[in-house]
Amino acid sequence: MKKFKTVFNQVKSLEGAEAPDMNSLLWQLICYSPKMPVRLQQQQLLDEAHQFTLEVDDPHFAKSALKFNGFIWGEGNRKIMITHGWGSKAADFAELIAALKNIDGVRIIAFDTPGNGSSEGELSNLLLFAKAAEAVIKTYGAPDVIIGHSLGSMANAMAIKETGAKPDLLISIAPLTNLKENFIASLNAADVAQTAQDNFFADFEEKFDMNASGFAFNNLYPAGSISRHWLAYDPEDRVAPFPFLNAVLTAHPEVETKVYEGRGHERIIKDETVIADIISLIA
C-alpha cells in the first residue's frame, strides 16, 4: 500500500503537468496492486491448507514466467475455486473459506494471482488474473463452483471461455465490468491531464494489442457455458458503479442478482449475510 500511495502522490503533485517518465508512472499507478499484510487469523487458515505453486507467462511486464501460490482445503470431489479481486489475496476470503469448509465433500481452491499477495510479480493485470485461474483449472480440473470478487469475476469469465469449463454455479461478488472506466477514474483522481491520459491509452493499445475498452464484462462473458450465475452487489459501490453493471444485467437477464446495501466493495466478501447466502446456494 505504501508504494501505491507514493506513486499516487507523485503523479498528483505534478498537477496535470507531464514528467519525462510519465507513462512509466501511470503504468505503476494503474497496474501496481496494493498489498496488505496477512492477519493472524488469515495466516492460521493458510497454514491449514495444502499449498501449491504454479506459473504463468507475463509477456507484458516481467517478460518472463511468474510463479503464483495457491491453497487447497479439503479432499472432496466437489471443487470450489475462488478468485480474489484487485489489491487482494486468497486470505481475504478467510471468513468465506472457513464457512465453506463445513460443507461435506468439498475441495476449496484459492490462490494469489501474480503481482498480488504472496506471489511473484511487480505489476499485474486482468490477463494475469485470468491466466492464473486457467492454470488452476487445467491442473486440478474444472470446478463445480467458481467464485470471484471484483476483478476476479472478470478473470473467471475469461478462464471459463478459455478452458471450456462449465461450472454448475458461478458466483460473482461486486464484479468490475468496465476496466477502462476504472482506469479513467484512477487517472482523474490523480489529476492526470487529458493529453497524458490519451498517451497512456495509446501505449496500452500498443502493449496489449487491443483497446482498453475491450476489457469489458459484456465482451468477456461466457454465454452458454454456465448453468447458473448468481451475482451479489451493492448499488452504491463506488469502485464498481451500478450503471456499468446494469448494462451487463440488461444484456444477460438470466443472471440472478441480490442487492446488499451498504456493504461497499471490499467489505462485501466478509459480510455475514452475504456468506450465509453463498453457503446456502452451494450447500
Side-chain angles (χ1 to χ4, degrees):
M1 181 62 78
K2 183 178 179 180
K3 177 173 179 176
F4 176 79
K5 288 181 178 179
T6 299
V7 173
F8 179 86
N9 291 334
Q10 188 175 356
V11 173
K12 195 172 180 66
S13 69
L14 295 170
E15 297 180 342
E18 291 195 43
D21 59 345
M22 191 65 176
N23 261 3
S24 176
L25 283 172
L26 296 187
W27 278 111
Q28 292 180 66
L29 177 70
I30 296 299
C31 292
Y32 178 78
S33 184
K35 298 171 180 63
M36 298 296 288
V38 175
R39 293 182 284 107
L40 177 60
Q41 175 196 3
Q42 295 174 333
Q43 188 58 57
Q44 290 172 339
L45 184 70
L46 297 180
D47 290 341
E48 297 173 5
H50 164 72
Q51 302 190 17
F52 65 87
T53 300
L54 300 174
E55 65 177 37
V56 295
D57 182 50
D58 176 13
H60 302 106
F61 297 137
K63 301 187 185 303
S64 65
L66 294 175
K67 293 179 180 178
F68 70 95
N69 300 317
F71 314 89
I72 300 175
W73 296 266
E75 299 178 353
N77 293 324
R78 193 176 182 207
K79 291 187 287 291
I80 302 172
M81 185 182 82
I82 302 175
T83 308
H84 66 75
W86 188 254
S88 186
K89 54 192 177 296
D92 290 334
F93 282 94
E95 292 84 356
L96 175 58
I97 292 169
L100 289 170
K101 286 171 59 185
N102 293 322
I103 301 176
D104 291 336
V106 300
R107 178 164 36 151
I108 306 154
I109 308 172
F111 52 95
D112 295 345
T113 60
N116 293 264
S118 62
S119 296
E120 292 182 347
E122 179 67 14
L123 301 181
S124 192
N125 58 67
L126 173 60
L127 297 183
L128 289 175
F129 272 63
K131 284 182 178 182
E134 291 166 24
V136 170
I137 292 172
K138 289 174 182 176
T139 301
Y140 294 101
D144 301 280
V145 179
I146 298 180
I147 301 172
H149 171 239
S150 187
L151 190 67
S153 297
M154 294 184 77
N156 284 344
M158 295 179 71
I160 290 170
K161 256 190 172 182
E162 185 64 27
T163 62
K166 294 183 181 296
D168 296 327
L169 175 63
L170 174 66
I171 295 176
S172 300
I173 309 169
L176 294 185
T177 55
N178 190 322
L179 280 196
K180 185 172 184 179
E181 292 300 328
N182 282 93
F183 295 162
I184 291 172
S186 295
L187 295 168
N188 287 340
D191 297 330
V192 177
Q194 188 60 53
T195 53
Q197 294 193 29
D198 293 341
N199 290 337
F200 170 77
F201 283 115
D203 196 32
F204 184 102
E205 186 169 355
E206 181 177 351
K207 185 181 290 288
F208 287 95
D209 196 27
M210 68 179 293
N211 192 288
S213 60
F215 290 104
F217 207 95
N218 271 339
N219 296 338
L220 308 173
Y221 194 74
S225 296
I226 303 164
S227 298
R228 184 183 185 189
H229 186 183
W230 184 87
L231 190 151
Y233 71 96
D234 177 351
E236 300 302 320
D237 187 335
R238 295 184 180 182
V239 177
F242 179 71
F244 302 135
L245 173 60
N246 193 43
V248 173
L249 300 180
T250 300
H252 299 281
E254 73 277 10
V255 177
E256 302 172 42
T257 62
K258 186 162 182 179
V259 175
Y260 296 89
E261 295 183 351
R263 269 63 169 198
H265 191 72
E266 289 82 16
R267 288 187 297 106
I268 192 169
I269 63 172
K270 305 177 190 299
D271 184 81
E272 291 182 359
T273 303
V274 175
I275 291 173
D277 287 343
I278 291 173
I279 297 303
S280 178
L281 281 166
I282 295 174

